């Protein structure tokens, strides 16, 4: 009998799909196809499903539904590339050119029908090479940071036919945002495409599961996807009553909304965020905002500095890879093989949401700053400052009175400490008694964080960073395996193949300040002057009520609670 506890993944929005594409690529980079290898620590069946396509080929695809605008797919068929016509074209040359066949049929008829052929979208060189078995993509330089136009350009994973869902009412545009308001998203959910078709696709995934844990919802939190995603969460709660882990994300690029200047764009983003956070406090089991900017409410702030990384602040391809690395690491807790029942999605969310604190913050270290010739015990003993960097905008790292869940990966047990006969000074440290990576981190956090509770999971597998992951963001002080070196420098042609990392989710009083600043900015907005919200059905009284509820939610983060 299967003991896999499945999770359904949902992605709403273009930047979310940038992140999701990297995330599914990372997961598939960690697949092992050698039957002699030991079983992976990660149970990929949690997020993947096995199927059979029309050619009787076995497929293994993400249990995923994604949503984007018309024009965002480029070459990718809406039904994916493993099923249907795209497979037939690749495997059956006898089918011929369908356009030529239509022309031949029309020649025999007396008709004035004009045939207009829509030009096919150009494929990125990376996608062309994926179809060429002779080319080793790991030996190529695609310069993806400068020429990616949308997330399908670097998609390595292959999707199920029901995965891709396109909104035809709005067109994708790199220069402006057309799907603008929370209220527009709420209206869109009530259409047949979502209220019936999309919900039916969710139902099909649910019926395929044996022990569904819940859903993971990744969505753009600055435009119309806020309303669409939160309405979907309300449906999930009504129908299935399972855990919902929501990840609202913020793009580092301030693309203006249609018919709006920069101040109005900022105001729309603030209103969308306030309405989304209010709804998330009701519908999500846990929500963790993500972004590489330090501020996002009004005017985007500076890029977060990450040790040994050099990335372009507004590059969607590079920044989304960092957030995907975080997502892949922090979700390991409920994706491990033979994990105890506490390592479930519901347990993960429940541990962090005491006293109604459903909002938590993200923190990340990629790479984990450890020298290539150093043991973990010495690394932690000499460490100064915070272990990681905040990836939640408008929020600082908590240090005291916090509840946190961490996952550390890529540090082998052999790197823990020296054996007894070589231990020398290490034997005097209290941490020398620790026998595992997670135990040593637990001890460190007990000393570093006053009156706090920490859960630590550890996985020996590092984050795989093979192409199409942006290898150019790693500085030359990193070795091929992602550790740091103060003596030797990695050669330019030598790529980093994996990176150790540390990811954390924190519940702390710092989030009270996050909510207070959002409420303050949202209250400053004169909603009556933003006619697009009223046109989409938002009443002033509803907006005021949402802000009042947001302020009440903020009270959960006062310091007068005991852990």
């Amino acid at each position: 009998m299967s003991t896999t506890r499945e999770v359904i993944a949902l992605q709403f929005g273009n930047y979310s799909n940038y992140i999701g594409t990297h995330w599914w690529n990372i997961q598939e980079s960690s697949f092992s196809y050698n039957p002699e290898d030991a079983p992976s620590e990660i149970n990929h069946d949690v997020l993947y499903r096995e199927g059979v396509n029309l050619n009787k080929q076995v497929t293994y695809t993400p249990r995923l539904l994604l949503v984007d605008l018309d024009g965002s797919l480029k070459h990718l068929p809406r039904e994916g590339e493993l099923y249907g016509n795209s497979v037939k074209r690749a495997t059956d040359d006898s089918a011929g050119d369908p356009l030529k066949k239509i022309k031949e049929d029309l020649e025999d008829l007396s008709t004035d029908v004009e045939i207009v052929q829509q030009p096919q979208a150009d494929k990125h060189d990376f996608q062309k090479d994926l179809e060429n078995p002779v080319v080793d993509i790991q030996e190529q330089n695609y310069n993806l940071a400068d020429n990616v136009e949308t997330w399908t350009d670097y998609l390595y994973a292959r999707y199920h036919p029901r995965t891709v869902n396109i909104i035809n009412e709005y067109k994708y545009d790199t220069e402006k945002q057309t799907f603008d308001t929370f209220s527009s998203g709420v209206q869109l959910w009530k259409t047949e495409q979502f209220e019936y078709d999309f919900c039916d696709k969710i139902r099909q995934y649910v019926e395929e599961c044996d022990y569904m844990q819940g859903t993971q919802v990744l969505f753009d939190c600055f435009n119309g996807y806020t309303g669409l995603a939160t309405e979907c969460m309300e449906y999930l709660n009504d129908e299935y009553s399972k855990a919902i882990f929501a990840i609202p994300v913020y793009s580092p690029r301030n693309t203006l909304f249609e018919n709006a200047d920069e101040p109005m764009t900022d105001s729309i983003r603030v209103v969308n965020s306030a309405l989304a956070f209010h709804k998330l406090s009701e519908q999500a089991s846990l929500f963790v905002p993500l972004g590489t900017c330090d501020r996002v409410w009004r005017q985007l702030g500076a890029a977060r500095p990450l040790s040994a990384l050099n990335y372009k602040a507004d590059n969607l391809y590079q920044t989304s890879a960092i957030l995907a690395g975080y997502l892949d690491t922090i979700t390991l807790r409920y994706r491990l093989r033979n994990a105890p029942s506490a390592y479930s999605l519901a347990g993960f969310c429940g541990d962090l949401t005491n006293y109604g604190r459903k909002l938590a913050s993200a923190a990340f270290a990629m790479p984990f700053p450890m020298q290539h010739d150093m043991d973990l015990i010495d690394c932690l003993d000499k460490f100064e400052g915070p272990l990681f960097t905040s990836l939640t905008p408008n929020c600082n790292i908590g240090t005291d009175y916090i509840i946190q869940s961490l996952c550390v990966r890529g540090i082998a047990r052999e790197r823990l400490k020296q054996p007894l006969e070589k231990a020398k000074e290490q034997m005097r440290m209290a941490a020398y008694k620790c026998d595992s990576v997670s135990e040593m981190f637990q001890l460190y956090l007990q000393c570093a964080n006053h009156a706090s509770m920490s859960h630590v999971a550890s996985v020996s597998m590092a984050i795989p960073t093979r192409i199409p992951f942006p290898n150019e963001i790693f500085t030359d002080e990193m070795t091929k395996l992602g550790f740091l070196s103060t003596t030797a420098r990695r050669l330019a042609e030598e790529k980093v193949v994996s990176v150790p990392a540390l990811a954390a989710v924190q519940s702390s009083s710092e989030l009270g300040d996050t909510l207070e600043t959002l409420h303050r900015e949202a209250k400053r907005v004169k909603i009556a002057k933003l006619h697009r919200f009223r046109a989409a059905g938002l009443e002033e009284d509803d907006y005021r009520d949402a802000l009042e509820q947001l302020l009440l939610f903020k009270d959960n983060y006062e310091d007068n609670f005991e852990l």
Side-chain angles (χ1 to χ4, degrees):
M1 182 184 294
S2 171
T3 57
T4 297
R5 296 172 294 184
E6 301 92 346
V7 171
I8 296 173
L10 306 177
Q11 293 168 196
F12 295 89
N14 192 252
Y15 190 56
S16 292
N17 288 326
Y18 266 84
I19 298 169
T21 298
H22 276 301
W23 186 40
W24 301 110
N25 289 348
I26 289 171
Q27 290 184 74
E28 299 208 8
S29 293
S30 65
F31 288 178
S32 174
Y33 299 96
N34 187 346
E36 297 182 2
D37 287 348
S40 171
E41 300 164 278
I42 304 169
N43 183 359
H44 294 292
D45 290 342
V46 171
L47 285 166
Y48 278 75
R49 60 180 295 282
E50 191 174 289
V52 179
N53 67 14
L54 298 177
N55 292 339
K56 308 299 181 183
Q57 298 166 326
V58 176
T59 62
Y60 195 55
T61 53
R63 194 176 292 105
L64 166 70
L65 296 177
L66 67 83
V67 182
D68 214 325
L69 302 186
D70 184 28
S72 62
L73 296 183
K74 287 186 68 178
H75 69 278
L76 182 69
R78 295 192 183 194
E79 74 275 10
E81 296 177 314
L82 289 177
Y83 293 70
N85 294 332
S86 55
V87 172
K88 292 178 182 178
R89 285 196 296 269
T91 58
D92 185 7
D93 294 333
S94 63
D97 182 358
L99 182 62
K100 182 179 179 181
K101 180 70 167 59
I102 293 172
K103 288 180 178 179
E104 290 174 352
D105 291 342
L106 289 175
E107 284 178 358
D108 299 331
L109 302 174
S110 55
T111 177
D112 295 329
V113 173
E114 180 184 1
I115 299 175
V116 179
Q117 183 179 11
Q118 184 176 356
Q120 286 191 337
D122 290 335
K123 279 191 176 183
H124 194 282
D125 288 343
F126 173 72
Q127 294 295 330
K128 293 176 182 177
D129 286 350
L130 283 179
E131 299 171 355
N132 188 346
V134 178
V135 177
D136 182 359
I137 61 172
Q138 300 305 323
E139 298 298 323
Q140 308 302 312
N141 181 12
Y142 296 104
N143 197 23
L144 290 162
D146 295 326
N147 56 37
V148 161
E149 295 178 358
T150 187
W151 52 270
T152 58
D153 284 339
Y154 61 93
L155 176 65
Y156 178 81
R158 293 296 178 256
Y159 291 152
H160 189 273
R162 74 172 73 117
T163 289
V164 178
N165 299 269
I166 294 300
I167 298 172
N168 295 312
E169 289 86 343
Y170 300 91
K171 291 288 290 184
Y172 172 70
D173 193 328
T174 57
E175 302 299 323
K176 62 185 177 184
Q177 297 189 70
T178 55
F179 187 32
D180 49 6
T181 66
F182 178 95
S183 310
S184 299
V186 172
Q187 281 189 336
L188 188 63
W189 178 260
K190 297 174 182 176
T191 62
E192 183 177 347
Q193 179 186 5
F194 285 95
E195 199 166 42
Y196 297 101
D197 298 347
F198 192 80
C199 291
D200 189 58
K201 292 179 178 182
I202 294 175
R203 179 190 58 77
Q204 291 177 58
Y205 274 142
V206 172
E207 290 178 352
E208 293 172 358
C209 298
D210 293 323
Y211 305 99
M212 189 181 85
Q213 298 188 63
T215 51
Q216 180 180 294
V217 185
L218 183 71
F219 70 97
D220 291 0
C221 197
F222 47 91
N223 51 29
Y225 290 107
T226 49
L228 189 65
T230 52
E231 286 295 302
C232 180
M233 287 181 229
E234 185 171 349
Y235 162 79
L236 291 170
N237 277 321
D238 291 343
E239 291 294 320
Y240 304 109
S241 300
K242 297 288 185 178
I244 299 176
F245 176 31
I247 308 102
V249 299
Y250 288 91
S251 170
R253 185 179 296 173
N254 193 19
T255 305
L256 300 183
F257 288 104
E258 192 171 25
N259 301 321
D261 57 11
E262 190 166 335
M264 182 177 285
T265 293
D266 291 342
S267 294
I268 294 170
R269 182 172 61 250
V270 166
V271 173
N272 286 334
S273 297
L275 293 171
F277 275 45
H278 159 58
K279 194 81 172 182
L280 287 167
S281 69
E282 297 177 341
Q283 302 300 336
S285 305
L286 171 71
F287 66 104
V288 180
L290 284 185
T292 53
C293 296
D294 59 4
R295 299 187 320 278
V296 295
W297 301 150
R298 187 170 292 279
Q299 297 180 339
L300 299 184
R304 298 276 193 187
L306 290 159
S307 174
L309 294 191
N310 183 16
Y311 66 96
K312 298 176 183 177
D314 65 345
N315 189 283
L316 302 185
Y317 162 73
Q318 291 183 343
T319 56
S320 60
I322 295 169
L323 300 182
Y326 170 81
L327 190 60
D328 190 62
T329 304
I330 201 62
T331 58
L332 285 173
R333 176 172 166 181
Y334 54 86
R335 295 194 289 126
L336 295 179
R337 193 179 301 278
N338 301 321
S341 57
Y343 279 44
S344 65
L345 181 57
F348 171 73
C349 296
D351 287 350
L352 293 154
T353 52
N354 291 326
Y355 307 109
R357 293 183 169 190
K358 291 186 176 183
L359 168 64
S361 60
F364 195 36
M366 182 185 77
F368 178 70
M370 181 172 166
Q371 295 294 321
H372 72 102
D373 56 354
M374 184 179 283
D375 295 319
L376 180 61
I377 188 172
D378 293 324
C379 175
L380 293 176
D381 183 61
K382 297 175 181 177
F383 207 90
E384 296 181 357
L387 279 175
F388 26 55
T389 301
S390 175
L391 284 185
T392 293
N394 298 83
C395 185
N396 298 319
I397 297 289
T399 54
D400 300 324
Y401 302 100
I402 59 177
I403 300 174
Q404 57 187 350
S405 178
L406 296 90
C407 183
V408 57
R409 65 189 303 180
I411 301 176
R413 196 171 182 275
E414 296 75 32
R415 298 287 303 275
L416 193 63
K417 58 187 178 181
Q418 290 293 309
L420 198 60
E421 61 273 13
K422 298 180 181 179
K424 298 180 182 178
E425 295 296 322
Q426 290 183 1
M427 292 183 63
R428 300 181 182 181
M429 303 178 192
Y432 193 77
K433 296 179 180 179
C434 298
D435 292 323
S436 67
V437 173
S438 57
E439 187 181 357
M440 191 170 287
F441 269 96
Q442 286 272 19
L443 179 61
Y444 175 86
L445 294 166
Q446 286 175 14
C447 300
N449 302 134
H450 174 66
S452 300
M453 295 173 59
S454 303
H455 178 282
V456 182
S458 64
V459 177
S460 61
M461 178 183 287
I463 299 176
T465 56
R466 294 186 290 273
I467 290 175
F469 197 91
N471 226 270
E472 69 277 0
I473 67 175
F474 301 125
T475 61
D476 61 1
E477 63 184 304
M478 287 177 62
T479 67
K480 186 178 180 180
L481 297 179
F483 293 97
L484 304 182
S485 174
T486 56
T487 54
R489 287 290 185 261
R490 192 181 79 258
L491 299 176
E493 63 271 14
E494 190 176 18
K495 293 183 172 66
V496 177
V497 297
S498 64
V499 178
L502 174 66
V505 176
Q506 288 190 339
S507 177
S508 72
S509 58
E510 297 286 345
L511 290 155
D513 295 335
T514 304
L515 292 168
E516 186 174 348
T517 56
L518 174 58
H519 178 269
R520 184 169 61 245
E521 290 294 341
K523 197 171 183 180
R524 287 175 53 195
V525 176
K526 293 180 173 58
I527 195 68
K529 292 187 176 181
L530 292 178
H531 302 294
R532 62 186 74 202
F533 281 94
R534 177 181 286 272
L538 179 66
E539 299 293 337
E540 283 190 61
D541 289 344
D542 294 336
Y543 183 63
R544 280 196 294 268
D545 288 344
L547 294 189
E548 288 177 10
Q549 293 300 317
L550 192 64
L551 205 56
L552 289 174
F553 180 56
K554 176 251 176 189
D555 291 342
N556 294 337
Y557 292 86
E558 297 296 332
D559 283 330
N560 56 353
F561 292 114
E562 295 181 1
L563 292 174

